[in-house]
Amino acid sequence: MMPPAGQPTISVVVVSRRRPAALKRALLGISQLRYPAFEVVVVADAAGLAAAKDLPFGDQLKTVEYETPNISAARNRGIANAAGEVVAFIDDDAVPETGWLHHLAAPFGKPEVAAAGGYVRGRNGISFQWQAQSVDGTGVGLPFEIKGDDPVVLTPNAERAIKTEGTNMAFRREVLAELGGFDPAFHYYLDETDLNLRLAAAGYKTAIVPRAEVHHGFAENQQRTAARVPRDLSEIGASKAVFLRKHCPVGQRDAVWKSFCQGQRRRLLSHMVAGHIMPGDVRRLMRGLQQGYADGLTRVLGQTPELTRAAEGFAPLEVKTGPQVMLFGRYWRRKAILREAKQAVQDGKSPSVFIFSRTGVFHSVRFDPVGFWLQRGGLFGRSERRQSLFRIGGYGARLKQEFQRVAAQRLLSETLLPKRLQTKQQAQKRSRS
């Protein structure tokens, strides 16, 4: 299947290592994307590939076995096997909103756009981990505001590039091939930021796409625990050294590195105060940071591979996406609602579930591994954290408000709402159909 004119074919690359359960959840979410033509390239260790192939659509995935802990090299393997006009990246501990590719692809209708990045929500599914930033040769991101939800095409200048986040970004494949993809000197950290600066130096434009959202979990890995407590800072130190060598003026590097170390120490001390690590762990981790930096000073830079056209052609994921449905109810009915959601998934539907209690509990959103979106919270509790703490309102009004908060990202039609909550125009349209 080919997309309509103006919509590019897309290769979605997912890199995974030692997280087979998270990978399966990510791929299930990806399979529900509403986009006419995309393929999925999974670059993972043996356990991850086994988990991916166990999915109902596992035989449709492009798979590349890769065991080395080097995310840049793994991403390059993904690009080498990608045949789409655009290559999108998402982490294995993230799940995209249903309309992710629909929104992320839109700016590529403009030939001057070479890259695009969307917004990232954190573990509670509400708060943003990342929105819009620029970045300079120190590697420090500077947030900036984008008004409204429409894509904004930005032109970098000589000092600052437009930042994209590794778990929600896309690039024209021809541009990635021209630039050599990701520099494998970066094993874990700052590889996409390096690419952002190289794009800027080449004069390419980047779009920020607010409605292209993914939910990122920060799952456990070799460098951190499930609670985001550092286990090892050596790869962070090494990547920082590589980045500064490539992009930071020589006279500024010592000061930038010193400031970076101070920030890492403050982070470790906050974990120590919280009881997550001991004083000896702070010393050990800081030694690892310094050792990693020394290692990064010796790594060979810029050995980016030649990214020729993928030998295997474009292999679109042919998963029949059933209708999106909306399920909702009070907290006391939660078990019945969740059973109904599970059955809806088995019937080939894509449910969005809203369960409210008569409390002020803050809301959370997550993609259930069964295959549906679930939002829980109090009728009077916050969803967006900037809302007032207590608000008086009825169940119907709150349901409509939360539906409208996610409808554009998820491509939900207002006709899914109860008729009494639809706008007059939607209700009339539904009655005629």
Side-chain angles (χ1 to χ4, degrees):
M1 180 189 296
M2 297 301 290
Q7 289 185 294
T9 55
I10 299 181
S11 301
V12 178
V13 173
V14 189
V15 172
S16 182
R17 187 169 184 270
R18 296 183 178 177
R19 294 200 290 225
L23 176 61
K24 286 186 74 170
R25 176 173 171 267
L27 292 173
L28 182 58
I30 290 168
S31 74
Q32 295 184 7
L33 290 169
R34 260 42 185 191
Y35 192 77
F38 69 96
E39 64 178 8
V40 182
V41 184
V42 180
V43 184
D45 55 11
L49 294 187
K53 291 174 181 177
D54 188 51
L55 290 162
F57 50 88
D59 60 344
Q60 298 184 47
L61 303 169
K62 288 184 175 180
T63 57
V64 182
E65 185 169 351
Y66 191 72
E67 301 281 351
T68 305
N70 184 324
I71 193 166
S72 299
R75 282 174 169 162
N76 288 338
R77 296 290 183 95
I79 300 167
N81 286 272
E85 298 165 83
V86 168
V87 184
F89 296 87
I90 186 170
D91 290 349
D92 62 354
D93 59 346
V95 179
E97 287 280 6
T98 312
W100 177 53
L101 288 186
H102 171 85
H103 294 299
L104 196 62
F108 290 101
K110 298 179 179 180
E112 68 271 22
V113 173
Y119 284 6
V120 181
R121 292 192 187 265
R123 283 183 171 180
N124 62 22
I126 302 287
S127 303
F128 283 110
Q129 281 180 6
W130 189 91
Q131 289 178 277
Q133 292 184 13
S134 64
V135 67
D136 63 9
T138 68
V140 177
L142 179 66
F144 61 89
E145 183 180 0
I146 287 182
K147 295 182 179 178
D149 294 323
D150 293 332
V152 177
V153 177
L154 300 163
T155 303
N157 57 39
E159 288 76 35
R160 302 197 71 83
I162 308 304
K163 179 84 170 69
T164 58
E165 193 68 0
T167 192
N168 186 357
M169 60 185 184
F171 308 89
R172 291 192 191 275
R173 193 191 184 282
E174 62 185 31
V175 173
L176 288 173
E178 173 193 329
L179 296 179
F182 297 89
D183 188 341
F186 297 93
H187 294 185
Y188 175 70
Y189 173 63
L190 289 173
D191 62 327
E192 74 272 31
T193 310
D194 167 64
L195 179 58
N196 294 149
L197 285 163
R198 288 190 281 131
L199 283 165
Y204 287 113
K205 295 184 179 182
T206 296
I208 298 297
V209 191
R211 284 197 175 105
E213 290 187 5
V214 304
H215 294 242
H216 187 215
F218 272 122
E220 178 180 12
N221 63 20
Q222 189 174 343
Q223 279 74 35
R224 62 171 183 259
T225 69
R228 298 180 64 183
V229 179
R231 284 175 167 157
D232 181 11
L233 295 180
S234 59
E235 283 298 346
I236 289 177
S239 290
K240 189 70 176 182
V242 170
F243 187 88
L244 295 180
R245 288 170 62 198
K246 293 188 71 171
H247 300 291
C248 187
V250 174
Q252 298 178 23
R253 291 177 191 173
D254 288 346
V256 171
W257 173 242
K258 181 178 179 181
S259 176
F260 183 78
C261 289
Q262 290 171 343
Q264 292 298 310
R265 182 174 178 79
R266 285 193 297 271
R267 182 164 72 106
L268 295 177
L269 291 174
S270 68
H271 282 299
M272 186 185 74
V273 171
H276 299 149
I277 57 176
M278 301 297 290
D281 295 319
V282 176
R283 293 189 291 271
R284 172 182 60 81
L285 289 165
M286 290 302 296
R287 282 198 302 271
L289 184 69
Q290 294 290 348
Q291 290 165 358
Y293 188 78
D295 175 39
L297 294 177
T298 66
R299 289 184 182 176
V300 178
L301 306 181
Q303 287 191 318
T304 52
E306 181 182 358
L307 297 171
T308 57
R309 187 166 298 278
E312 184 181 351
F314 187 69
L317 193 66
E318 299 288 354
V319 176
K320 185 177 180 181
T321 52
Q324 299 198 82
V325 296
M326 178 180 177
L327 304 174
F328 54 90
R330 312 275 183 173
Y331 182 75
W332 61 270
R333 289 195 60 246
R334 65 193 182 281
K335 292 183 179 179
I337 296 167
L338 294 177
R339 284 196 299 269
E340 189 178 353
K342 184 176 181 180
Q343 184 60 53
V345 173
Q346 292 173 354
D347 294 340
K349 300 174 182 176
S350 301
S352 290
V353 181
F354 300 84
I355 299 176
F356 301 150
S357 60
R358 197 169 180 81
T359 67
V361 172
F362 285 12
H363 288 227
S364 64
V365 177
R366 70 182 180 91
F367 184 76
D368 190 280
V370 169
F372 59 87
W373 287 98
L374 172 62
Q375 179 169 339
R376 299 189 194 216
L379 184 60
F380 313 113
R382 289 175 177 166
S383 51
E384 298 290 354
R385 298 322 195 219
R386 62 179 177 270
Q387 292 173 337
S388 58
L389 188 56
F390 293 103
R391 295 172 302 121
I392 304 300
Y395 181 88
R398 186 61 192 269
L399 178 63
K400 184 174 182 178
Q401 178 189 47
E402 296 307 320
F403 174 89
Q404 291 174 333
R405 191 180 62 80
V406 300
Q409 299 93 309
R410 216 167 286 175
L411 303 181
L412 298 175
S413 168
E414 194 176 295
T415 57
L416 296 177
L417 282 168
K419 189 172 181 179
R420 64 186 176 83
L421 299 179
Q422 296 175 28
T423 61
K424 185 176 181 180
Q425 293 85 347
Q426 285 288 350
Q428 289 173 344
K429 182 178 178 181
R430 186 173 184 176
S431 65
R432 289 195 299 267
S433 61

